[in-house]
Amino acid sequence: MEMRSLIEESSKYLLNTYNRQPVVLIKGRGTRVYSLDGKEYIDFVGGVAVNVLGHCHRKVVVAIQKQAQRLIHVSNLYHIEPQIKLAKQLVKHSFADKVFFCNSGAEANEAAIKLARKYSKERFGDDRYEIITAFGSFHGRTIATITATGQEKFQKGFEPLLQGFRYVPFNNVDAIQEAITHRTCAILLEPVQGEGGVNIPSDDYFKKVRDMCDKNDILLILDEVQTGMGRTGRLFAHEHFGITPDIMTIAKGLGGGVPIGAMLCTNKVASAFSPGNHASTFGGNPLVCASALATLETILEDGYLLEHCKNMGMYFLNQLKELAEDFPVYITEARGLGLLLGLQMSVDCNKIVSNCLKRGLLINSTAGNVLRFAPPLIIEEPDIDILIENLRDILENYYDE
Ligand SMILES: *Cc1c(COP(=O)(O)O)cnc(C)c1O
């Protein structure tokens, strides 16, 4: 079918929940994706921080093929080999002792919220259920996670929201101190706010938050759904800050493109859950775990990819900073950690996103006026140069086009 008629059918048959770009993508290899009408694009969206190894990485494809032939799904009523192997690797390479598998970031956060509440109620009594989250955060689209999300635009129209959440400005230690009461059971934060516009905290923020949690016996939950799996140049972003959480959620980059989420935690917290407390039919099924295992092994293989991500991230950020200096009227700030980068704009981002698409570049915008870049971690300098040159050209001719 022709691309244009397929796009017409898209709006005819699909719920209108996305502002989609006018292109149908049918194939991907590495940092490149291809549309139905045969155009090639460099992918700086990366499935929104999903495709850490690029598209259709050989090892991931082979792992999925092999597992699909062997066993695609069995219930969690039985032991699942790829799930056990994946959990073991995640534990080996993180602070965590235990893992629960689900299918998305929102579900991982749901699990974290439930676990934190149960743990705290059992230990400190029924009154202890409140969770502090940050303004500008994003934790998912279920009722509980839009409530956790400190942005009204995601909550509006879906009230009544869940009870027991409190919001504080991100990167402000005093605000957390003031918000803590005898009811506080956990603090839930992203190490770097992704959807909120790539907001990076000061170096000592998380150390101070961790201290406050320890002093008050409060759980620290880190939402690493976007920042995890090497995105920032470390396997998990909190490693930059020299702290560990009690609970961590991951998803996006975990599966190499298949839907999988996970909640990781320490033994201390894990003990609050027993059979029947939480479950997911598809959670950790053989197929997605085989894919995630291949993805994790490839990320960790020789430390090359994380080092590469760090280097490319620094290169990319420097290029964005130069661009910001050259176009102060259009760009207010360039920021980033590893290969999660943002360009805070003072002009319409949609126009730039569409223009990039025409030029064979996938980028996206978030938080209204931030261009966000989350390319595969295998990206190389020449691809970054192409993007920067095109952004330069677009901004030079911004009012002509
Ligand atoms: C994307 C995202 C989520 C939600 O993940 P889904 O898989 O879309 O449910 C939660 N938290 C953060 C930080 C995210 O970036």
Side-chain angles (χ1 to χ4, degrees):
M1 193 182 271
E2 210 197 317
M3 193 158 91
R4 182 128 44 103
S5 33
L6 203 55
I7 290 172
E8 271 167 26
E9 294 201 339
S10 176
S11 38
K12 183 165 180 219
Y13 293 113
L14 293 166
L15 234 70
N16 186 25
T17 56
Y18 297 96
N19 275 319
R20 295 178 203 266
Q21 297 297 318
V23 62
V24 182
L25 300 172
I26 56 161
K27 194 175 116 173
R29 282 290 178 281
T31 56
R32 300 295 198 268
V33 288
Y34 302 86
S35 58
L36 188 56
D37 57 349
K39 274 197 188 163
E40 181 182 275
Y41 296 85
I42 309 179
D43 188 1
F44 287 93
V45 177
V48 187
V50 166
N51 299 299
V52 289
L53 299 178
H55 294 275
C56 298
H57 189 284
R58 190 178 48 82
K59 288 191 179 154
V60 177
V61 171
V62 169
I64 292 173
Q65 283 173 336
K66 275 193 178 162
Q67 189 59 48
Q69 286 177 346
R70 184 189 278 265
L71 183 67
I72 294 176
H73 180 85
V74 280
S75 165
N76 278 302
L77 295 170
Y78 309 96
H79 296 279
I80 298 171
E81 192 181 6
Q83 184 184 120
I84 300 163
K85 286 185 176 166
L86 177 60
K88 186 175 173 185
Q89 286 303 311
L90 286 170
V91 164
K92 184 175 166 199
H93 294 284
S94 74
F95 71 96
D97 302 308
K98 291 274 197 295
V99 185
F100 173 84
F101 288 108
C102 51
N103 314 289
S104 67
E107 281 175 71
N109 286 327
E110 287 274 346
I113 292 165
K114 281 178 72 176
L115 181 64
R117 280 189 173 186
K118 188 137 189 310
Y119 170 84
S120 301
K121 278 170 183 263
E122 279 174 7
R123 211 166 240 235
F124 304 103
D126 276 352
D127 257 3
R128 186 126 155 175
Y129 57 82
E130 220 167 63
I131 297 178
I132 297 173
T133 71
F135 289 117
S137 62
F138 182 79
H139 299 296
R141 298 291 200 148
T142 63
I143 290 292
T145 55
I146 61 169
T147 308
T149 294
Q151 301 192 59
E152 260 174 38
K153 69 172 179 191
F154 294 108
Q155 303 170 337
K156 219 162 166 260
F158 303 110
E159 300 86 351
L161 299 175
L162 199 63
Q163 288 184 348
F165 288 84
R166 242 175 200 251
Y167 313 99
V168 294
F170 186 58
N171 197 25
N172 182 330
V173 180
D174 294 339
I176 294 185
Q177 187 66 57
E178 278 166 35
I180 289 174
T181 69
H182 68 281
R183 288 205 166 83
T184 312
C185 92
I187 299 172
L188 165 60
L189 296 166
E190 294 155 87
V192 173
Q193 289 188 333
E195 302 305 299
V198 191
N199 303 317
I200 299 161
S202 20
D203 286 341
D204 60 350
Y205 176 62
F206 277 101
K207 268 227 164 77
K208 289 181 175 163
V209 174
R210 178 73 263 184
D211 277 351
M212 258 184 288
C213 287
D214 290 341
K215 282 202 191 95
N216 299 285
D217 246 320
I218 291 168
L219 299 174
L220 178 59
I221 308 171
L222 290 183
D223 178 346
E224 294 236 22
V225 168
Q226 187 153 162
T227 55
M229 306 317 290
R231 172 60 45 196
T232 68
R234 309 293 286 267
L235 188 56
F236 303 112
H238 66 260
E239 296 169 25
H240 290 284
F241 306 123
I243 55 121
T244 59
D246 302 287
I247 302 174
M248 172 174 75
T249 55
I250 51 178
K252 290 192 167 92
L254 176 59
V258 299
I260 178 171
M263 174 189 68
L264 285 69
C265 64
T266 60
N267 271 333
K268 183 178 96 167
V269 191
S271 62
F273 268 2
S274 48
N277 286 155
H278 200 51
S280 166
T281 297
F282 289 121
N285 102 353
L287 189 74
V288 295
C289 286
S291 181
L293 190 60
T295 303
L296 181 60
E297 281 172 359
T298 309
I299 293 173
L300 293 170
E301 221 147 45
D302 51 11
Y304 158 81
L305 194 69
L306 295 180
E307 191 60 27
H308 181 74
C309 170
K310 211 175 85 189
N311 292 335
M312 287 306 108
M314 283 192 297
Y315 180 78
F316 203 155
L317 184 57
N318 280 334
Q319 301 294 95
L320 290 176
K321 281 189 168 157
E322 268 180 32
L323 198 66
E325 271 173 29
D326 294 346
F327 295 92
V329 176
Y330 300 89
I331 305 171
T332 47
E333 198 188 13
R335 46 184 187 256
L337 190 63
L339 282 169
L340 182 56
L341 303 110
L343 212 45
Q344 179 99 42
M345 307 300 292
S346 42
V347 290
D348 183 15
C349 281
N350 293 327
K351 196 170 151 178
I352 299 172
V353 171
S354 313
N355 203 328
C356 276
L357 187 78
K358 286 187 197 129
R359 294 160 178 256
L361 299 161
L362 300 187
I363 65 169
N364 101 317
S365 76
T366 186
N369 59 352
V370 178
L371 295 178
R372 184 214 353 224
F373 311 100
L377 309 187
I378 56 170
I379 194 123
E380 301 280 356
E381 284 177 14
D383 287 344
I384 297 168
D385 293 342
I386 292 171
L387 173 74
I388 299 291
E389 273 165 36
N390 276 282
L391 285 175
R392 190 172 286 279
D393 196 54
I394 289 168
L395 292 176
E396 265 165 9
N397 301 297
Y398 185 79
Y399 288 107
D400 302 338
E401 296 194 27

